[in-house]
Amino acid sequence: MLLHTQGQVAEHVDLRYLALAAIELLIERMGAGGTASRADLLDYLASLAAIQWNAISPDDAVTFAEHVFDGLTNARDRRARFKVRLFDPERPDGAPLEFGLLRAEALPDGKVGYRLTQEAIEVHLSLLDHDPLTATQVSEIIVEEFLRRGLYDHAVNAAERTRTNSVRLAEALRLLMAEARRAILKVMWQHELGPKMQEARDLLDASIAREGAMLSHLNDTAADVTDDTDRRHLARVRTLLLDVNDRHRNLMVIVQTTADDYLLLQADALKLRPPTRLPDLEHEILNPLLEAPVSFLSRTASRIFCALSGALTPLVFDLAAALKAFEPDLADYSESEFILEVGAPLAPVPLPFDAATIARAETFARATILAAGSITLGDILARAAEKDADDMSFQRCLFLILEQAIDPRTADIAGEASILGARFDAGFVEGTDVRFTGKPIGRSHAS
């Protein structure tokens, strides 16, 4: 591969690792708003080559760094964009693809700095390690965003990635369950497998709901799309989402039934061996002990007795029996011993508002609504507070009357009432605001 380096050196240095490390370095520099020069990249890659094999010479490390840099910039083709031809069954000559990884740009100080191209950044993102649950959620959100923006060609690619992630998720759950079954005596459900299955269940619930919403959106927008290419894209997205949704629903059934199946398997595995034949207590144990020497019995008699008698169960307090023992038997008492005394009647509960306050509050509410034509509950309470801030009884009565006036069948304060999305805060009470419209003066509740 590198004619001017030793073959042994090439076996110890991973060029793919160096290429990805160069991309990581440029990601960090671009994140800080900067670039990296050729010298920066070569120094960094040479140091990584020396770390991979400490016996490498400085010249060989630099040679490897230059080789990786030339490969990323396509130095073999005069640093032009990479050109490859992909197989396409609809094109006999294949589909051409061009891309670049590093882009050089002139800096204000006259030097040349390097940045990553958009293609290289996408390659870097695709190499990031995400767990299958997270990757599935992220890819579905991307599909949803592309559909919302009408970018149907991008939605197809994102939906393909979503299906791949769903297959990956199904395989990950299968491997997790298979590994747990192999270690059935060591993996406890409540400590290890249960939390993972619960997390999978929660995220699958969210995915199934999101997929259903996207399929409904596709059904609603399909008739409005007239372009043939967009219609093909929408049909492909719908097919992929249906496949993903079916897979996730099947996974949900597996996750929901996993607990019972796993616990049954674990219970069977934890069962003790069936008891063997019990020994003959007289001929096989007691008679040999009686014939044993005294020196042996003096050392082991207590342990032998414990082994023969078994563990003594501790006494358990029977709460029900104790309560029954202290409960009196009503049959022992005569009817004359039961004396019931009736106390004096209590004073009536005072009304919260008198008739004058109620009439005044109704009159104020009706007049305010008629004068304004249309006004909210919060504004009425605010005007009442401005008029008499110290009379809290009047303000509370006014609030209750307005609450009752929301239903026109229970009061004739307003013509109509509609509940709003906003809220009000009158100090002593807060809640959802209501808009009232006026009507001709009718009868009063206080009359």
Side-chain angles (χ1 to χ4, degrees):
M1 184 176 60
L2 299 177
L3 298 179
H4 46 285
T5 59
Q6 300 178 1
Q8 186 180 10
V9 177
E11 294 178 358
H12 291 83
V13 178
D14 187 351
L15 297 181
R16 290 180 294 270
Y17 176 84
L18 296 182
L20 293 176
I23 293 177
E24 289 281 356
L25 176 64
L26 289 173
I27 286 287
E28 293 183 4
R29 294 290 181 90
M30 292 171 64
T35 60
S37 64
R38 181 177 184 274
D40 294 336
L41 288 168
L42 294 181
D43 291 343
Y44 181 65
L45 296 178
S47 65
L48 290 181
I51 293 175
Q52 290 190 31
W53 194 44
N54 54 10
I56 191 173
S57 66
D59 292 339
D60 286 344
V62 172
T63 300
F64 274 101
E66 291 176 346
H67 179 75
V68 171
F69 178 81
D70 291 342
L72 292 174
T73 56
N74 197 15
R76 180 182 300 178
D77 196 12
R78 298 182 180 181
R79 308 198 187 282
R81 290 172 62 83
F82 292 95
K83 298 179 181 179
V84 295
R85 189 168 295 277
L86 305 177
F87 172 76
D88 189 343
E90 297 181 358
R91 299 183 182 183
D93 297 333
L97 175 65
E98 295 186 6
F99 64 93
L101 298 177
L102 270 61
R103 177 170 55 86
E105 65 177 32
L107 302 179
D109 57 1
K111 298 180 180 179
V112 176
Y114 287 88
R115 293 177 178 271
L116 291 177
T117 62
Q118 186 66 30
E119 296 97 331
I121 295 175
E122 292 178 358
V123 170
H124 177 265
L125 288 175
S126 65
L127 294 176
L128 294 179
D129 186 18
H130 298 294
D131 65 276
L133 287 172
T134 304
T136 303
Q137 299 289 310
V138 172
S139 58
E140 285 186 349
I141 293 173
I142 294 175
V143 175
E144 189 175 28
E145 178 64 17
F146 282 146
L147 291 178
R148 186 187 65 82
R149 295 165 57 187
L151 303 176
Y152 303 126
D153 52 343
H154 296 287
V156 172
N157 296 330
E160 295 277 6
R161 195 176 303 114
T162 299
R163 184 179 64 172
T164 302
N165 285 327
S166 71
V167 173
R168 179 185 170 206
L169 173 60
E171 181 65 12
L173 290 177
R174 187 190 67 81
L175 292 177
L176 177 64
M177 289 302 303
E179 183 178 353
R181 285 190 172 91
R182 285 194 297 269
I184 194 73
L185 297 179
K186 297 180 180 179
V187 179
M188 293 293 104
W189 174 268
Q190 64 272 22
H191 298 307
E192 301 177 44
L193 198 57
K196 294 180 181 179
M197 290 295 105
Q198 183 60 45
E199 181 185 10
R201 179 176 181 175
D202 294 340
L203 292 180
L204 283 173
D205 273 334
S207 290
I208 291 172
R210 187 183 300 111
E211 292 149 11
M214 286 190 287
L215 289 171
S216 298
H217 175 74
L218 289 175
N219 293 334
D220 295 339
T221 58
D224 300 331
V225 177
T226 57
D227 184 75
D228 292 338
T229 302
D230 288 342
R231 292 179 68 86
R232 287 197 300 271
H233 288 157
L234 286 178
R236 179 58 178 165
V237 171
R238 186 176 185 276
T239 301
L240 292 170
L241 288 179
L242 286 173
D243 177 73
V244 171
N245 190 254
D246 290 342
R247 185 176 295 104
H248 285 175
R249 290 182 181 276
N250 293 334
L251 286 178
M252 176 63 76
V253 175
I254 295 174
V255 169
Q256 289 175 338
T257 58
T258 292
D260 294 338
D261 296 343
Y262 185 83
L263 291 177
L264 287 175
L265 288 174
Q266 194 168 60
D268 291 338
L270 291 174
K271 284 181 179 178
L272 299 177
R273 291 179 302 173
T276 57
R277 182 188 66 85
L278 294 176
D280 189 330
L281 185 61
E282 179 181 359
H283 295 93
E284 297 181 10
I285 296 179
L286 292 181
N287 286 339
L289 287 176
L290 291 175
E291 297 174 358
V294 177
S295 59
F296 171 76
L297 292 176
S298 63
R299 296 192 312 270
T300 61
S302 61
R303 295 199 300 271
I304 293 174
F305 175 76
C306 292
L308 293 176
S309 63
L312 298 177
T313 58
L315 296 177
V316 179
F317 179 69
D318 190 343
L319 182 60
L323 292 176
K324 187 175 181 180
F326 288 97
E327 184 180 9
D329 189 358
L330 298 181
D332 297 338
Y333 298 88
S334 61
E335 294 183 2
S336 60
E337 297 183 25
F338 295 97
I339 301 175
L340 301 178
E341 295 183 357
V342 180
L346 299 177
V349 179
L351 296 176
F353 311 108
D354 54 25
T357 303
I358 295 175
R360 178 184 166 205
E362 285 188 343
T363 302
F364 180 84
R366 189 178 292 109
T368 304
I369 295 172
L370 285 175
S374 176
I375 189 171
T376 63
L377 188 152
D379 292 338
I380 298 174
L381 294 178
R383 294 187 182 184
E386 293 176 359
K387 183 177 180 181
D388 192 353
D390 296 332
D391 193 350
M392 293 304 301
S393 177
F394 167 71
Q395 296 181 41
R396 293 180 187 275
C397 180
L398 176 63
F399 168 72
L400 294 176
I401 289 174
L402 292 173
E403 284 287 296
Q404 188 181 18
I406 294 176
D407 187 352
R409 296 172 299 178
T410 60
D412 59 352
I413 300 299
E416 293 181 355
S418 56
I419 299 176
L420 306 177
R423 295 180 64 82
F424 73 93
D425 185 357
F428 67 94
V429 66
E430 62 176 308
T432 303
D433 212 346
V434 182
R435 179 171 296 279
F436 297 100
T437 56
K439 63 176 290 186
I441 297 177
R443 60 178 180 80
S444 171
H445 281 276
S447 60

